[in-house]
Amino acid sequence: MGRFNFDLIIALSLFLSLCLFPHTILAQLKQDYYAKTCPNVEKIVRTQVEKKFRQTFVTVPATIRLFFHDCFVQGCDASVIIQSTGNNTAEKDHPDNLSLAGDGFDTVVKAKQAVEQVCKNTVSCADILALATRDVIALSGGPSYSVELGRLDGLSSTASSVSGKLPQPTFNLNQLNSLFGANGLDQTDMIALSAGHTVGFSHCSKFANRIYNFSPQNPVDPTLNKTYATELQQMCPKNVDPRIAINMDPNTPKTFDNMYFKNLQQGKGLFTSDQVLYTDGRSKPAVDRWASSPADFQSAFITAITKLGRVNVKTGSDGNIRRDCSAFN
């Protein structure tokens, strides 16, 4: 009877953990997943990423953003890379994904092609995207870290699945925490991952409300640095070409560093969802800490992006190894 009770407790504990933390299950992820089947995969991917990086710096923010947008919609399964067809509008064609730069997609596709020449039908596009993300961060001055591998590629990609899954530039702290929390990420993870904007760029329309029509009393968002607001108005005049994009970090836009947090301290967060991390007292201490300690920020970022890479990983019959990252087998 005692043995039965013990087994029952173990089973119930496992059931509860699955229910409470469905997004952070490690599944079969491990750093040496391809040690026997494709031992040089990381070197192959890195070579292709370096080649793309030399062609254009856009490779860096484009790949980071692609990874984030992929993981937050149906999990880290490369479903965001799937091309739409006549009978299916894929994730990448949802309005929230139309600004994803083509260089991110190209980075993964080229790396996959190179891997396939050596290890046919062995390495998933989802894992290649995770590796490429690590590599662009390191190439731009950020931390290098070990990547957990073993994801399968998703079997579904629909534009309708994107709605409500990605953070918006107007979000406040509660909205950010709620969305990240739904993916097993806490406030500390959210603040650390937001620093990906240190190498990002944005179209003017995403923050125009902050510099022209914030409120009837304040056309310009009062939390925005006044000098910075004037500079933004000069770069993004009313009726500006919608294709125009500007750097999200006005100081070190091509370096993955902690300048993002120093900018927030000066009122230079481009989005409302950036600046709120400093104006809200619940998140301000982390901003101050990481603005003064690059090492602490890098440690927190590695933890956060590792957790991001575990979101809703596909295993078994829920996924496969895609031959072409942009199309289902």
Side-chain angles (χ1 to χ4, degrees), residues 7 20 34 55 60 98 157 168 185 187 199 221 236 245 281 321:
D7 289 344
L20 294 173
Y34 297 107
Q55 293 172 0
V60 176
L98 291 178
S157 178
Q168 301 300 310
L185 300 162
Q187 179 174 285
V199 288
D221 186 340
C236 294
I321 305 292

Side-chain angles (χ1 to χ4, degrees), residues 13-24 181 184:
S13 298
L14 179 61
F15 174 76
L16 284 172
S17 66
L18 290 171
C19 291
L20 294 173
F21 306 102
H23 298 289
T24 55

Side-chain angles (χ1 to χ4, degrees), residues 64 137-138 140-145 187-200 249 252 255-265 274 277 283 285-306:
I64 296 171
I137 288 169
S140 55
S144 187
Y145 52 92
Q187 179 174 285
T188 301
D189 301 322
M190 179 272 292
I191 301 169
L193 290 170
S194 295
H197 286 170
T198 189
V199 288
D249 180 345
T252 57
T255 305
F256 193 100
D257 54 17
N258 68 330
M259 182 60 71
Y260 173 79
F261 301 108
K262 296 179 181 179
N263 289 336
L264 297 185
Q265 290 176 320
D274 292 314
L277 302 181
S283 47
V287 173
D288 287 333
R289 183 168 66 252
W290 294 337
S292 63
S293 176
D296 284 355
F297 159 58
Q298 289 195 356
S299 176
F301 181 82
I302 290 171
T303 296
I305 200 160
T306 299

Side-chain angles (χ1 to χ4, degrees), residues 183-216:
N183 290 287
L185 300 162
D186 60 27
Q187 179 174 285
T188 301
D189 301 322
M190 179 272 292
I191 301 169
L193 290 170
S194 295
H197 286 170
T198 189
V199 288
F201 55 87
S202 170
H203 292 91
C204 298
S205 61
K206 295 295 183 181
F207 58 87
N209 68 304
R210 296 191 72 205
I211 57 176
Y212 290 118
N213 57 349
F214 185 71
S215 72

Side-chain angles (χ1 to χ4, degrees), residues 194-246:
S194 295
H197 286 170
T198 189
V199 288
F201 55 87
S202 170
H203 292 91
C204 298
S205 61
K206 295 295 183 181
F207 58 87
N209 68 304
R210 296 191 72 205
I211 57 176
Y212 290 118
N213 57 349
F214 185 71
S215 72
Q217 296 76 25
N218 296 292
V220 177
D221 186 340
T223 67
L224 196 58
N225 179 293
K226 290 183 179 179
T227 301
Y228 184 46
T230 300
E231 293 171 353
L232 291 175
Q233 289 172 336
Q234 292 170 347
M235 290 185 284
C236 294
K238 291 181 178 180
N239 302 316
V240 67
D241 186 329
R243 294 170 295 182
I244 296 295
I246 69 162

Side-chain angles (χ1 to χ4, degrees), residues 28 70-71 73-83 88 90-91 112 123-129 150-158 161 311-329:
Q28 80 273 43
D70 182 48
C71 291
V73 180
Q74 300 194 95
C76 307
D77 63 356
S79 54
V80 73
I81 304 176
I82 291 290
Q83 295 272 14
N88 178 57
E91 286 179 31
K112 171 67 171 177
V123 182
S124 69
C125 300
D127 277 346
I128 289 174
L129 175 54
R151 302 165 189 80
L152 290 180
D153 296 323
L155 305 176
S156 170
S157 178
T158 60
S161 64
V311 174
N312 201 9
V313 168
K314 303 299 183 295
T315 60
S317 60
D318 291 333
N320 60 19
I321 305 292
R322 220 175 282 156
R323 289 187 290 272
D324 174 355
C325 291
S326 65
F328 295 120
N329 292 347

